[in-house]
Amino acid sequence: IRMPRSKKRNNRGGQHRGVQPFSDEDASIETLSHCSSLSDAASVAEEVGDVSEDAAQEDFEYKLKGYIDSTLDKSAKTRHSALDGLKTAMASKMLYEFLLERRITITDSIERCLKKGKGDEQRAAATLACLLCIQLGSGIESEEVFKTLKPIFMNILADRTANIQARQACATSLGVCSLVAEDDILDVYATMECFESLFAKSYTKEDGTQSVFNAQTTALHISALLAWALLLTICSNTEVKKILKKHLPRLPSLLESDDVNMRIAAGETIALIFELARDLDAEFEYEDLESLCANLNALATDGNKHRAKNDKRKQRSVFRDVLKAVEEGDFQTETIRFASERMYIDCWVKKRTYDAFRELVGSGMNYHLQANEFIRNVFELGAPLVVDSAALKAMKISRFERHLYNAAAFKARTKARSKFRDKRVDVGEFI
């Protein structure tokens, strides 16, 4: 029996009398037309984006020029803020061309702040000098900067009346700048002797008594020791042999220090020296190895209740690695990931160098590993990888295209699952 046809028409989808249904072909044409218009709009947006990027860069450089001018301000607070602004910029972005044109002006500002400033201002200026050399890289430009500032660093470092934190910053800056910009290895050795005159005061005295200093002086000795260890990584084999004889018998006495940071700095420096010694002679043997390993093991398992939990946790972690280095010549490799690359810290030489740069640039270290030619050369990473921004933009799809793709995927997924959701389907069909 044929059911009578309903007189009511379904007007959904625009199916009026004489109008054809909206086909898939029409939909694709409409979509292409829409995408084409979006593509035109996207190209305009790209041009606007490029203009906005240029404007942002101009604004950024304008702020930097303002900071440079403010380093000459009468107010110490304003000068300090300007130095901090320049530090932040240099730590987080490559500014080679900008700094190259203004290096003499910036060097003069740093010199003035080091000579006339006090405390925090001197510390900020010393750190800025380091970052300037790191930005300029190893070459005549950074050498000129360092030749101007090195005598001032040396004077502040030797001045017992100077602010102790400023002396610390000068020790760190003197070490890093020597690594980057010193053109004479004999001058590097002379700088190392300057550091030795400081941290050697913390050695156990000839009568066996432990040297006692306040926390600030100990911090200065730690900075001097770490800067010395950094320069030790570039010493000649002959110089390394001299240092082994002079310092390896006395360095273990620093492991008895009450300051956890001094103990850690001494332990890592000992591990570094053992690594360099074994590079020179695979059969290297230390006379008092058994006693040294016993001390290192005690620090790696330290459970003294009078020490802070965080200090003990940090100390045990470091000295487990130091003990392995001294006993077995082993190193716990660390992987540093940045962008699409990775770097392996696989020796104490590389670790001391990496830690020194990271202390200065902080969270900007991964960016410098990616973009700074000098730092990449230090860690043998090769030239910076060139990424075609235009190609990356071309690979990105618009929000509308992403919406169409997601809608199509959702529709296909719904169709595939619909028969499992329809209760009218015979269950036996799936058995």
Side-chain angles (χ1 to χ4, degrees):
I1 301 173
R2 186 173 296 177
M3 297 295 292
R5 186 175 295 177
S6 173
K7 294 181 180 180
K8 186 177 179 181
R9 292 184 180 274
N10 184 0
N11 290 329
R12 287 180 301 169
Q15 295 183 38
H16 302 289
R17 187 186 300 272
V19 178
Q20 295 297 322
F22 192 66
S23 67
D24 290 342
E25 184 179 355
D26 294 329
S28 63
I29 293 172
E30 180 69 18
T31 300
L32 288 174
S33 175
H34 195 171
C35 288
S36 177
S37 64
L38 282 175
S39 177
D40 292 340
S43 63
V44 173
E46 270 186 33
E47 291 178 8
V48 173
D50 292 338
V51 171
S52 63
E53 284 181 11
D54 292 340
Q57 181 64 23
E58 289 180 8
D59 184 52
F60 180 68
E61 292 187 0
Y62 179 77
K63 288 181 180 178
L64 291 183
K65 293 172 186 176
Y67 287 143
I68 294 171
D69 292 339
S70 295
T71 57
L72 304 176
D73 197 89
K74 292 182 180 180
S75 168
K77 186 176 181 180
T78 301
R79 294 196 303 272
H80 186 205
S81 296
L83 292 170
D84 281 342
L86 290 170
K87 279 168 49 185
T88 302
M90 290 189 199
S92 59
K93 193 169 184 178
M94 283 303 299
L95 304 167
Y96 179 78
E97 297 295 338
F98 178 87
L99 297 174
L100 188 63
E101 295 176 3
R102 299 166 179 82
R103 68 186 187 281
I104 296 175
T105 303
I106 297 173
T107 303
D108 290 343
S109 295
I110 293 172
E111 181 180 7
R112 189 177 292 104
C113 291
L114 285 170
K115 287 181 175 179
K116 298 184 178 181
K118 294 181 180 179
D120 290 342
E121 184 181 341
Q122 289 178 308
R123 183 174 56 180
T127 304
L128 183 61
C130 260
L131 292 169
L132 179 58
C133 286
I134 289 172
Q135 285 270 348
L136 294 175
S138 184
I140 187 67
E141 294 84 6
S142 57
E143 287 176 14
E144 290 174 353
V145 171
F146 187 47
K147 282 178 181 178
T148 301
L149 300 177
K150 180 180 177 180
I152 307 170
F153 288 151
M154 300 288 280
N155 290 338
I156 294 174
L157 191 59
D159 185 0
R160 295 184 180 181
T161 63
N163 179 277
I164 198 79
Q165 292 179 331
R167 295 175 72 193
Q168 277 182 255
C170 285
T172 299
S173 298
L174 190 56
V176 174
C177 289
S178 294
L179 180 75
V180 177
E182 186 64 84
D183 60 347
D184 190 340
I185 192 64
L186 295 179
D187 288 338
V188 171
Y189 299 156
T191 300
M192 291 179 71
E193 289 179 2
C194 177
F195 292 143
E196 289 172 16
S197 67
L198 291 172
F199 71 77
K201 293 176 182 177
S202 288
Y203 284 159
T204 298
K205 297 177 183 178
E206 293 182 0
D207 60 3
T209 59
Q210 190 73 30
S211 301
V212 180
F213 297 97
N214 61 36
Q216 288 188 326
T217 303
T218 299
L220 172 62
H221 293 177
I222 293 169
S223 296
L225 176 60
L226 293 175
W228 178 82
L230 177 65
L231 296 183
L232 180 59
T233 64
I234 60 172
C235 285
S236 67
N237 292 343
T238 303
E239 191 66 20
V240 170
K241 289 179 181 177
K242 292 179 182 177
I243 287 170
L244 283 173
K245 293 180 181 179
K246 182 178 179 181
H247 289 281
L248 191 53
R250 302 190 68 190
L251 268 170
S253 68
L254 299 180
L255 300 174
E256 307 297 326
S257 173
D258 292 333
D259 190 297
V260 64
N261 292 317
M262 174 59 90
R263 295 195 297 271
I264 289 173
E268 291 184 339
T269 302
I270 289 169
L272 172 64
I273 290 179
F274 266 81
E275 181 176 273
L276 293 172
R278 284 168 176 153
D279 285 344
L280 291 175
D281 180 8
E283 304 299 324
F284 170 76
E285 292 184 6
Y286 178 58
E287 293 180 0
D288 204 11
L289 182 63
E290 187 175 346
S291 174
L292 175 59
C293 288
N295 288 339
L296 295 176
N297 185 61
L299 291 169
T301 57
D302 190 2
N304 288 335
K305 293 183 178 180
H306 68 276
R307 287 177 180 167
K309 287 184 179 180
N310 288 339
D311 287 352
K312 286 189 289 186
R313 189 181 299 112
K314 181 180 177 182
Q315 174 184 289
R316 286 196 292 261
S317 175
V318 170
F319 277 96
R320 282 195 293 268
D321 293 338
V322 172
L323 182 60
K324 286 182 181 179
V326 172
E327 279 187 328
E328 307 166 17
D330 193 19
F331 183 88
Q332 187 68 36
T333 300
E334 180 182 357
T335 303
I336 309 296
R337 292 179 175 84
F338 51 99
S340 60
E341 299 177 84
R342 64 182 62 187
M343 178 180 74
Y344 299 101
I345 306 294
D346 54 5
C347 63
W348 289 97
V349 167
K350 192 176 286 189
K351 175 176 169 55
R352 176 80 285 272
T353 308
Y354 176 80
D355 288 347
F357 287 127
R358 187 181 59 180
E359 181 183 351
L360 288 166
V361 301
S363 60
M365 186 62 189
N366 282 1
Y367 174 80
H368 278 270
L369 284 171
Q370 184 182 355
N372 189 313
E373 288 190 20
F374 167 72
I375 288 184
R376 290 182 67 88
N377 286 336
V378 168
F379 294 108
E380 299 178 342
L381 295 171
L385 299 182
V386 178
V387 179
D388 187 352
S389 58
L392 287 177
K393 287 181 181 178
M395 290 171 63
K396 293 182 179 179
I397 62 174
S398 70
R399 181 179 296 181
F400 178 72
E401 291 171 319
R402 194 160 55 243
H403 171 72
L404 290 178
Y405 173 81
N406 290 338
F410 177 77
K411 186 175 181 180
R413 198 163 52 241
T414 302
K415 282 184 176 180
R417 295 175 179 174
S418 62
K419 59 183 177 180
F420 294 101
R421 293 173 180 159
D422 193 342
K423 295 180 181 179
R424 291 172 297 180
V425 175
D426 185 3
V427 177
E429 181 180 347
F430 302 104
I431 297 175

